[in-house]
Amino acid sequence: MVTEKVRICVIGAGPSGVTTLRALQSLAESKYELVCYERYDSIGGIWNFTGKEGLDEDGKEVHSGMYYDLITNGPKECLELPELLFPDNDSKLTGYPCFPDRQYILNYLSGFAEKFGLLKYIKFKRWVDLVTYEEQSKKFKVTVENLESGDVEKSDQLFDYVIVATGHFNYPNYVSYPGQESFPGLVIHSKQFLDAKRYAAKKVLVVGASYSAEDIAIKCWSAKAAHVTISYRTKPTGLKFPEGIDERPIIEKIDGDVVKFVDGTSNNYDVIIYCTGYLHSFPFMEEKLRLNTSNRMAPPLYKQIVHPDNPSVFYIGMQDQYYTFTMFWLHGHFCARVISGDIKIPSKEEMTPEIEKTQKEEAELKDCFDAINFQTKHVNEVAELTNQMKVDATELFNRWEQDRDTDILTYKQQTHFNSIFK
């Protein structure tokens, strides 16, 4: 008698998808079948930068929000995986930067996938249209469009588990202010930034005070923008920007090329760049399976991974993130142990109080250092539950934040060689 294999669907082959595939790989060698759908013809997710704008060759919106000269805003030692360390962690003499560019990170992910033979599980050029759950069969129906042939595969796409590993930097959070329609210049979201050289000699207004806003502001300044203003919603960044970059409070209104701020000041601009983040959006998941959350440290998931309404649905790395690749890898191991039966998921009635407790702890976080400790606690809880190596990047993250405060122009030139694995 042939036993039907348990089928696992992973959506996305970016950092969270690839690391999850590795964590699930041991299952795939036994009674489980592992299938990953990836919209492009190679792995990498947001790191798979093409330089294209608008729609891609398949008529879909370009996925990556990277730009040409992007350098990671955190040290690579905080995102490396214990199974494949970056080549310079045992030496300060090899010349690899602690804050590498986007191509270096993509090469690292590709090397990880190749080392462990993960490509065989991935169906490239596949667009997931819809995931639904069939109550009678207790299986998921996954409708997939084959972007190579244009066919929509509807038959024989039933799965026992679905793991959403698409990330949450796909759908820009667009905002606008009164009078914006009268602005004669360029208005974009940071996802469309692409190349700072475009903004040379321009007066640029960057709306937002997050990491992306400060990075784009500095990129424009370095590319000889005429002036750069950062507009903040709640409070200034507190960083020591060079002459040519100033900070103003939130926009009150826009009148032609003149932008007035709530403190009564105003200035004229050629470009407005909204660095206002991204929406957690999963339109391919039917409503009852969808994660509905803002960008927060504790999304409404059990152990920040499992959908409380259907414990066969997992979301990887949907937090506001300090830890990234390593956290995704641990999340993948948690999924593997749930699927194998080694970890038992409680009822929704039991999950809900724990989720609420975690979110109450999140609400008490006062600053970035509290947030780092909060996420460190989370990743180590998952590590303990999955019998994996514990992780502690607290010292590196804290130093990174302090280096930014000391000199925003040089913090990416610092070196960090401490291992985060314990």
Side-chain angles (χ1 to χ4, degrees):
M1 179 178 178
V2 178
T3 303
E4 183 179 347
K5 285 196 171 187
V6 175
R7 304 191 77 215
I8 306 166
C9 174
V10 178
I11 304 174
S16 55
V18 168
T19 51
T20 295
L21 286 175
R22 171 57 181 158
L24 294 166
Q25 193 170 25
S26 61
L27 297 182
E29 305 304 325
S30 56
K31 62 178 181 179
Y32 300 87
E33 181 183 354
L34 183 56
V35 179
C36 176
Y37 294 115
E38 165 56 42
R39 63 174 288 186
Y40 288 116
D41 58 6
S42 59
I43 69 164
I46 61 170
W47 296 96
N48 192 1
F49 175 75
T50 64
K52 295 179 180 178
E53 300 179 78
L55 301 182
D56 61 22
E57 64 274 14
D58 299 310
K60 312 292 187 184
E61 184 176 351
V62 170
H63 175 72
S64 179
M66 296 280 170
Y67 35 94
Y68 279 104
D69 56 350
L70 184 140
I71 296 173
T72 61
N73 63 3
K76 68 183 186 303
E77 286 75 14
C78 292
L79 58 78
E80 71 181 347
L81 297 159
E83 296 181 300
L84 183 65
L85 300 182
F86 283 105
D88 59 337
N89 266 19
D90 58 353
S91 169
K92 298 184 180 183
L93 303 176
T94 55
Y96 290 102
C98 282
F99 294 81
D101 63 29
R102 53 176 176 75
Q103 187 61 49
Y104 183 94
I105 299 298
L106 180 60
N107 291 346
Y108 174 76
L109 283 170
S110 298
F112 183 82
E114 291 169 9
K115 177 180 178 178
F116 296 107
L118 303 179
L119 299 181
K120 64 185 178 183
Y121 304 113
I122 305 173
K123 293 183 179 295
F124 291 104
K125 299 289 285 185
R126 300 297 194 275
W127 175 274
V128 175
D129 284 321
L130 184 63
V131 179
T132 58
Y133 184 66
E134 300 179 349
E135 294 287 349
Q136 187 172 357
S137 66
K138 304 298 182 186
K139 291 184 181 292
F140 298 92
K141 180 180 179 182
V142 180
T143 303
V144 182
E145 181 182 354
N146 185 332
L147 297 176
E148 290 180 318
S149 66
D151 296 332
V152 177
E153 303 172 0
K154 292 186 178 180
S155 61
D156 198 29
Q157 299 303 316
L158 297 179
F159 292 90
D160 300 279
Y161 295 92
V162 169
I163 301 174
V164 181
T166 56
H168 54 82
F169 299 103
N170 306 339
Y171 299 92
N173 178 30
Y174 290 105
V175 300
S176 63
Y177 290 93
Q180 181 171 299
E181 68 281 356
S182 71
F183 186 74
L186 179 66
V187 180
I188 62 170
H189 186 272
S190 60
K191 185 177 181 181
Q192 290 91 40
F193 178 66
L194 278 182
D195 190 352
K197 294 177 183 177
R198 296 178 173 183
Y199 311 106
K202 304 288 187 182
K203 293 182 179 179
V204 180
L205 174 60
V206 176
V207 180
S210 65
Y211 299 118
S212 61
E214 70 190 41
D215 196 56
I216 283 176
I218 290 170
K219 293 294 185 187
C220 290
W221 174 83
S222 298
K224 308 301 183 183
H227 189 80
V228 182
T229 295
I230 296 175
S231 172
Y232 56 87
R233 183 173 57 182
T234 53
K235 62 180 181 179
T237 65
L239 298 169
K240 302 177 184 68
F241 290 108
E243 184 177 351
I245 300 178
D246 68 350
E247 294 190 78
R248 305 282 180 93
I250 197 167
I251 297 169
E252 180 179 305
K253 66 177 182 179
I254 301 172
D255 184 5
D257 68 350
V258 177
V259 177
K260 183 178 180 181
F261 303 94
V262 295
D263 64 352
T265 62
S266 61
N267 204 349
N268 62 305
Y269 296 95
D270 303 301
V271 181
I272 299 175
I273 304 174
Y274 283 107
C275 297
T276 45
Y278 291 81
L279 301 172
H280 283 58
S281 182
F282 310 97
F284 52 89
M285 300 292 284
E286 70 171 319
E287 182 60 38
K288 64 183 179 181
L289 306 176
R290 199 172 293 166
L291 169 62
N292 295 302
T293 185
S294 58
N295 189 33
R296 58 187 299 173
M297 298 297 293
L301 300 166
Y302 178 67
K303 301 301 182 186
Q304 302 185 38
I305 304 169
V306 182
H307 198 300
D309 290 330
N310 190 319
S312 296
V313 176
F314 308 91
Y315 283 85
I316 305 296
M318 296 303 171
Q319 299 82 347
D320 191 4
Q321 299 160 358
Y322 285 92
Y323 293 87
T324 52
F325 296 4
T326 312
M327 181 169 66
F328 308 155
W329 179 78
L330 287 168
H331 284 186
H333 279 286
F334 185 87
C335 296
R337 290 183 69 83
V338 171
I339 293 169
S340 68
D342 293 326
I343 292 178
K344 305 298 182 185
I345 299 298
S347 66
K348 180 180 179 180
E349 290 69 29
E350 294 171 294
M351 284 191 272
T352 300
E354 180 171 327
I355 294 171
E356 292 174 348
K357 178 176 179 291
T358 303
Q359 293 185 330
K360 183 178 179 181
E361 293 172 358
E362 175 198 25
E364 296 170 354
L365 303 178
K366 297 181 178 62
D367 54 29
C368 62
F369 301 105
D370 282 353
I372 290 166
N373 291 332
F374 178 83
Q375 197 155 88
T376 300
K377 177 184 174 184
H378 164 67
V379 295
N380 282 309
E381 179 189 11
V382 178
E384 186 171 346
L385 288 169
T386 57
N387 295 326
Q388 297 300 322
M389 190 179 297
K390 289 196 172 184
V391 180
D392 190 351
T394 304
E395 181 182 345
L396 289 182
F397 281 133
N398 289 347
R399 182 184 157 190
W400 164 66
E401 290 282 8
Q402 291 160 359
D403 287 342
R404 287 177 57 253
D405 290 343
T406 300
D407 192 334
I408 190 62
L409 294 181
T410 64
Y411 82 98
K412 293 185 181 183
Q413 299 169 19
Q414 306 305 312
T415 56
H416 305 266
F417 289 97
N418 295 14
S419 173
I420 66 172
F421 303 109
K422 307 299 179 184

